[in-house]
Amino acid sequence: KARERHLSEQELRAFWERVQALPFPKKEIISLWILTGGQRQQQLARVQAKDIQEVNIPDRDGFTKGMEVIDTKGRTGRERKHFVPLTPKSKELVDALLVQGPFIFSTTGQEGVEPNWFGRQIKPIVKDMEAAGELENGSFTAGAIRSTVETLLGKYGVSREDRGHLQSHGNSGVQAKHYDRHDYAG
């Protein structure tokens, strides 16, 4: 079933402000999830320090730091490496979370958060937003964050192809496998 709910910019801003009031490491984990494009939660739970790397982007000056996410979603079920570039703020959050241990999306550093962790964390925030009249279109779930990121990036001119690569949508066909060698990290 296709998701129809996404947050408006105003709703996302209110959500972001409430996330910033959370204690460590919840604030950092949820902020990083949003800033990395609303990646699939199950995949983020596996990301470790060893998955943070720098890549040389030919059409940019120097190197870009990013995280490598293992994507198992899709018809084949095979693992595929998916590179997610990190903004300066994202790099700060990664560094803060790595103080705990090798797992980045973790409350202890020793193991990744379980897949429904994000949903449990945002439920009380959504209730508070509802009570404060900050939601224009009613309640939302963790899945709406992913849709929101994609929708807002499109609104601000990021191409469908680049959004697809950021969120690892359908990047496994003949074109990607045999012909398209661009790494989309830039």
Side-chain angles (χ1 to χ4, degrees):
K1 183 179 175 187
R3 285 194 181 102
E4 294 188 22
R5 177 68 164 110
H6 67 277
L7 281 64
S8 69
E9 287 180 67
Q10 187 172 342
E11 289 174 316
L12 181 60
R13 196 172 295 114
F15 177 70
W16 180 264
E17 290 300 319
R18 290 182 179 277
V19 167
Q20 299 315 296
L22 295 174
F24 178 86
K26 290 179 183 182
K27 170 185 149 182
E28 288 75 11
I29 294 170
I30 296 171
S31 297
L32 186 57
W33 173 47
I34 296 167
L35 291 175
T36 55
Q39 299 299 314
R40 292 181 181 98
Q41 301 163 46
Q42 304 88 321
Q43 295 167 1
L44 292 179
R46 296 189 289 260
V47 177
Q48 297 182 45
K50 67 180 177 54
D51 301 318
I52 303 300
Q53 53 193 265
E54 289 188 350
V55 295
N56 189 10
I57 309 299
D59 55 345
R60 283 194 157 191
D61 297 330
F63 290 84
T64 295
K65 195 172 237 183
M67 65 182 183
E68 194 170 74
V69 177
I70 303 299
D71 185 350
T72 56
K73 178 101 168 126
R75 291 183 186 149
T76 66
R78 286 182 281 193
E79 290 186 354
R80 183 175 62 77
K81 293 178 181 179
H82 168 60
F83 183 81
V84 179
L86 296 175
T87 64
K89 179 63 179 173
S90 297
K91 292 176 200 174
E92 287 176 27
L93 293 169
V94 167
D95 290 342
L97 290 164
L98 284 176
V99 173
Q100 302 181 101
F103 284 88
I104 295 169
F105 292 87
S106 172
T107 57
T108 64
Q110 303 311 308
E111 61 186 9
V113 295
E114 70 273 7
N116 59 359
W117 182 90
F118 291 92
R120 284 199 323 268
Q121 302 311 308
I122 71 167
K123 241 180 204 177
I125 297 172
V126 171
K127 281 187 178 187
D128 290 345
M129 290 176 72
E130 282 179 310
E134 296 171 340
L135 295 177
E136 302 161 17
N137 298 307
S139 183
F140 64 92
T141 64
I145 298 300
R146 187 168 170 82
S147 299
T148 299
V149 170
E150 172 117 11
T151 301
L152 291 177
L153 287 174
K155 177 181 178 180
Y156 286 102
V158 175
S159 73
R160 181 181 301 260
E161 183 176 31
D162 286 343
R163 293 188 324 258
H165 279 281
L166 175 65
Q167 292 193 331
S168 191
H169 294 304
N171 302 330
S172 59
V174 170
Q175 179 182 9
K177 184 176 179 182
H178 297 289
Y179 303 106
D180 187 356
R181 298 294 178 230
H182 184 60
D183 64 15
Y184 294 91

